Amino acid sequence: MQPDVSFVIAAYNAEATLDRAIASAIAQKNVSVEIIVVDDKSRDATLDVARAYPQHVVRVVALASNRGPGGARNAGLDVARGRWIAVLDSDDAVFPDRIAAMIARAEKAGAQIAVDNLQVIREDGVVEDAMFPTRYLEELSEISLASYIAGNVVFESKFNLGYLKPIFQREFLDENGLRYDEKLSIGEDYILLANALAKGGKCVVEPTIGYAYHIRSGSISRVLELRHVEAMRKADAVFAQTHSMDEAAQVAFARRGRSLRKAASFLSMVQHIKARSPLKAIRTALSDPAAVRHMGMPIAVRLRRVAAQFAVGVGR
């Protein structure tokens, strides 16, 4: 019998949290579940944890080499059999009623994609507020390509929609050849959902909290580097060449592009400061002053101090 949903769990050095993720997938109510754990060539006991479950409970895919988050998820998508696909990060969890609620809302609306709210949990176990106000998601109800891009303007969006954890109709993904961009280690979730929306996918919003997002220090998603931003810019360039966008989406896309350029300039300045190259930092700031204003005063103050210190050094 075809499962209602396939959970794809990409795992890399996740021995400490993988059991929690798997247990939450097993605990789903009123749906049949397939769980696929893809070990991304971990260096710890992640593979042993996954293989400790009976094969009919957890299917394990062990990659011969590390492919990153996108590649590991793609390996899981390629073997999934469920009507719906739910990606679950190995350090997160889902609540028992999540998938049933999302599928019901999506099927009622004739949608191929559904998203819901996230509960933020700190590393020390303290439960914080939901990531998105319930009223905001209720009013949003459906996410268009334009609204999704507008909700992913780096450092500017009021609510960053890139954190959403969608479920997809597997048939829709397969028919449109939709997979994760394996060149991205940050932003791969964004570009997949953007591609799905550009392909005509309808995305509805289930405003209840169904996903437990665990903040972990040092995780890839919390460490933004210049190389990540440059990879995102390249992925966006491919997106623009691949898809046609209506006027609202084009406006949002242009705004996102400007924000990525500013982010790249800012991170470049930070790199120069860390490398004790004040002249390069100042040249970067002068070439893109909007980046400094955009990122706020602390970095601007720091640059002025660096410039002053350099001037003093030259005077000597």
Side-chain angles (χ1 to χ4, degrees), residues 46-219:
T46 294
L47 190 55
D48 294 332
V49 172
R51 284 178 170 166
Y53 292 86
Q55 293 183 16
H56 71 277
V57 177
V58 176
R59 297 175 62 193
V60 180
V61 177
L63 297 183
S65 60
N66 182 276
R67 289 173 55 181
R73 290 170 182 170
N74 284 342
L77 291 176
D78 289 343
V79 300
R81 298 180 294 111
R83 293 190 301 114
W84 290 85
I85 299 288
V87 170
L88 173 58
D89 289 348
S90 59
D91 53 355
D92 292 336
V94 285
F95 295 114
D97 295 318
R98 182 190 191 228
I99 296 299
M102 295 177 80
I103 290 177
R105 184 171 289 269
E107 292 184 341
K108 182 178 180 181
Q112 298 78 32
I113 312 160
V115 296
D116 61 351
N117 209 343
L118 298 87
Q119 182 71 67
V120 179
I121 302 175
R122 292 190 341 209
E123 195 167 19
D124 59 7
V126 173
V127 177
E128 297 189 345
D129 294 335
M131 186 169 289
F132 304 97
T134 300
R135 187 171 180 178
Y136 168 73
L137 292 184
E138 288 175 344
E139 292 176 352
L140 193 58
S141 97
E142 186 176 326
I143 296 177
S144 66
L145 178 59
S147 62
Y148 185 61
I149 296 174
N152 280 276
V153 176
V154 181
F155 300 138
E156 291 184 33
S157 303
K158 184 177 181 182
F159 300 112
N160 190 332
L161 300 184
Y163 282 103
L164 292 171
K165 300 292 185 179
I167 65 169
F168 297 92
Q169 269 188 354
R170 184 177 60 82
E171 186 178 28
F172 176 78
L173 292 180
D174 290 344
E175 287 179 348
N176 288 283
L178 293 169
R179 288 295 187 268
Y180 286 93
D181 186 335
E182 299 190 20
K183 295 185 292 294
L184 295 173
S185 55
I186 287 183
E188 74 279 2
D189 294 307
Y190 161 77
I191 205 68
L192 177 64
L193 183 48
N195 279 321
L197 293 169
K199 289 282 189 178
K202 181 178 181 179
C203 179
V204 292
V205 179
E206 168 56 52
T208 58
I209 296 173
Y211 194 98
Y213 178 78
H214 288 261
I215 296 176
R216 183 167 55 88
S217 59
S219 67

